[in-house]
Amino acid sequence: MRIGQLLGTGRSADVYELDEQWVLRRYRVGLDATREMPVMSYLSASGYPVPRLGPLPVSAGPGDLILQRLTGPTMLESLVSGELGGDEGSAMLAGLLADLHTVPARLSADPEDRILHLDLHPGNVMLTADGPVVIDWSNTEEGPPALDRAMTALILAQIAVDPRVPEAAGARALLDTLMPLLAADDGIPARHLAAAAARRAANPTMSPAEVALIGEASDLVAALSG
């Protein structure tokens, strides 16, 4: 496997060029990517927009995934540039969550459980010529859809209450328009918001400064859930 240039980097993984069709996503911190593969395959077969999976070479490690190379900006980039409006972005996020939660759980016997992304925010949505595609399924689990909605809202709220980041005002505006859409889909009960906050606090990739904002962010989501 010939690895090309570094195309992007996140909190825990790097993405490298392989060729015009495929990229290599490789974890830096010893995480196992194999648990994501059956979930992504299942979602793809269900018609949900995820990157196609490519065959792994024998030299691949447990933290490697071969993924379809997507062309286009992230939703975050389009929001920041103004190419995508806040109302349109909120509707897209809410729609992606709602569509995901129509897919029955793959393993759970609880009929109310669904596939959860648990990190669905504008940085994890690629806007391709064929429509939005949801990337980075490293946190995926099965469970109540309200937990997924809570996590998305909380992630945006953490940015909205952070005075250090220039995207704070944009995140607050996006959250303000997103919350009524989530409320129309059964909303975010307090117990699920608390569970999302606990998960965020336990995330080892978050800085102490980010963790310190979780309480204020939770209060904001709770107030907007009203």
Side-chain angles (χ1 to χ4, degrees):
M1 178 172 59
R2 180 184 174 277
I3 299 175
Q5 65 176 326
L6 178 67
L7 297 176
T9 186
R11 286 179 181 265
S12 58
D14 300 312
V15 177
Y16 297 91
E17 178 184 42
L18 292 180
D19 55 34
E20 293 183 355
Q21 290 186 304
W22 303 103
V23 298
L24 166 69
R25 199 202 69 190
R26 172 169 286 170
Y27 281 125
R28 294 191 304 273
V29 291
L31 297 175
D32 188 348
T34 56
R35 60 184 293 273
E36 302 168 50
M37 297 176 67
V39 178
M40 294 178 68
S41 295
Y42 176 71
L43 288 170
S44 181
S46 301
Y48 192 77
V50 298
R52 295 196 314 274
L53 291 167
L56 284 169
V58 294
S59 60
D64 292 349
L65 277 182
I66 306 297
L67 300 170
Q68 173 190 5
R69 184 169 184 172
L70 301 172
T71 301
T74 65
M75 183 191 293
L76 176 60
E77 291 168 337
S78 288
L79 287 167
V80 170
S81 71
E83 291 184 30
L84 184 71
D87 289 350
E88 187 179 359
S90 294
M92 189 179 294
L93 271 180
L96 288 168
L97 283 165
D99 288 349
L100 176 60
H101 300 151
T102 65
V103 181
R106 189 174 63 92
L107 301 174
S108 174
D110 188 332
E112 300 300 318
D113 281 352
R114 295 292 186 267
I115 304 289
L116 310 182
H117 186 280
L118 296 177
D119 198 22
L120 212 172
H121 57 76
N124 278 337
V125 179
M126 296 286 293
L127 303 183
T128 75
D130 296 322
V133 178
V134 180
I135 63 172
D136 191 357
W137 292 84
S138 57
N139 293 328
T140 185
E141 293 182 15
E142 296 181 358
L147 177 59
D148 224 1
R149 295 193 292 269
M151 192 66 78
T152 292
L154 185 61
I155 291 168
L156 289 174
Q158 275 185 272
I159 301 170
V161 301
D162 191 343
R164 304 165 302 162
V165 298
E167 299 87 5
R172 176 58 195 267
L174 188 66
L175 185 64
D176 285 344
T177 54
L178 176 65
M179 288 301 294
L181 301 177
L182 299 185
D185 193 16
D186 297 330
I188 301 173
R191 68 184 185 280
H192 295 301
L193 178 57
R199 286 169 177 264
R200 292 291 284 173
N203 188 331
T205 69
M206 296 189 66
S207 69
E210 289 174 312
V211 172
L213 295 170
I214 292 174
E216 185 179 355
S218 296
D219 289 344
L220 175 59
V221 174
L224 293 174
S225 296

